[in-house]
Amino acid sequence: MAARSVIALVSVAEVVATELADHLERRGHDVHRARQPWEAESLLSGKGIDVVVVGDSLSQAEGRDLLRRHGGEGGPDFILICRPADLVDKVLALELGAADVVESPLNVRELAARVGGLLSRRGRGTQELIVLENATVDLRSAMVMHRSGTEEQLSPGQVALLRLFLASPRKVLTRDDIIAAAPAENVDAFDRSIDSRIVRLRRKLDTETITTIRGAGYRFDPPQQFAD
């Protein structure tokens, strides 16, 4: 299993840091927080940090100083949060090598997406995304992200079941196929329990792509976005 990516939050406002850390951790990342400049120095002096998010409670000069000392080739990518009026500071940060500069107030989901984009460019992305009609599924973090903005967690058994369907698109899988390849999470693996598992999975994914073939089994018909 690949090592988890590591994100440092430096002097990020408490309410933003708490929500962002929760968002990132549920997607399989490790998050470390440094509330004071001396904590940031200690954290960034070590190795293994992939992305640093510097909040605007730290002065722009202090943020750029951290970027000078710990960024650059071989170092972590930096995202600096700045106030809308700080255009000069934004340009200076980018010229010094910041990977991104985000204006406050900000959307935490957007910031998390920017972090994910940087991790992907570093070859450290941990997402395995499946786009369905009404939701996007990150299989690695077992997270269903609905278009409404709500999120739900998949159980290990549901992830195994979904992976089985993804591996066999347009193929009818019998109940025996499912029991063998994606067993239930408890001893109650009787034949009829498969029906309940499928119903619960469909409901959680809000999808019509998993079809019941009467008397035969179940078939996954991929959305148009899937390649043949």
Side-chain angles (χ1 to χ4, degrees):
M1 181 181 294
R4 290 160 66 96
S5 52
V6 182
I7 297 95
L9 306 183
V10 176
S11 298
V12 176
E14 190 69 22
V15 63
V16 174
T18 299
E19 186 179 350
L20 180 59
D22 178 67
H23 202 80
L24 293 170
E25 286 168 349
R26 283 187 287 129
R27 281 156 179 76
H29 309 302
D30 285 336
V31 180
H32 299 286
R33 295 169 65 176
R35 293 170 176 81
Q36 302 297 329
W38 66 266
E39 292 178 300
E41 284 295 336
S42 176
L43 178 60
L44 300 183
S45 293
K47 301 297 182 183
I49 304 294
D50 294 297
V51 176
V52 181
V53 180
V54 180
D56 60 6
S57 58
L58 199 68
S59 74
Q60 293 298 308
E62 289 174 309
R64 291 196 300 273
D65 196 35
L66 284 177
L67 175 59
R68 285 191 192 94
R69 292 199 304 278
H70 301 287
E73 187 174 353
D77 287 320
F78 274 72
I79 298 177
L80 273 64
I81 301 173
C82 72
R83 296 179 177 84
D86 295 338
L87 177 59
V88 173
D89 288 316
K90 181 176 182 178
V91 172
L92 287 173
L94 291 170
E95 288 179 343
L96 284 171
D100 203 351
V101 179
V102 182
E103 292 185 355
S104 62
L106 50 85
N107 181 287
V108 170
R109 287 175 181 270
E110 179 186 350
L111 182 54
R114 290 172 183 264
V115 171
L118 292 178
L119 290 171
S120 295
R121 291 205 290 273
R122 294 172 70 93
R124 298 300 306 276
T126 61
Q127 291 183 321
E128 189 177 345
L129 299 180
I130 305 301
V131 180
L132 300 174
E133 315 98 297
N134 302 305
T136 298
V137 184
D138 182 349
L139 283 172
R140 297 234 180 137
S141 63
M143 185 70 63
V144 183
M145 296 165 280
H146 295 280
R147 286 188 178 179
S148 65
T150 61
E151 297 180 345
E152 293 185 83
Q153 197 79 35
L154 292 172
S155 70
Q158 288 174 328
V159 172
L161 184 55
L162 180 54
R163 285 188 182 277
L164 175 61
F165 281 120
L166 292 170
S168 308
R170 304 182 185 87
K171 176 183 176 181
V172 176
L173 300 175
T174 67
R175 290 184 174 87
D176 287 340
D177 291 333
I178 294 172
I179 290 172
E185 296 170 70
N186 54 47
V187 295
D188 186 23
F190 298 112
D191 188 55
R192 298 301 298 176
S193 74
I194 296 298
D195 298 332
S196 298
R197 292 178 64 197
I198 297 295
V199 168
R200 289 193 295 270
L201 182 63
R202 278 199 199 111
R203 186 180 299 129
K204 188 168 282 190
L205 299 178
D206 190 14
T207 185
E208 299 296 328
T209 58
I210 302 173
T211 306
T212 301
I213 308 299
R214 190 175 297 277
Y218 304 92
R219 186 183 67 220
F220 173 62
D221 296 307
Q224 191 63 40
Q225 297 99 318
F226 280 67
D228 291 329

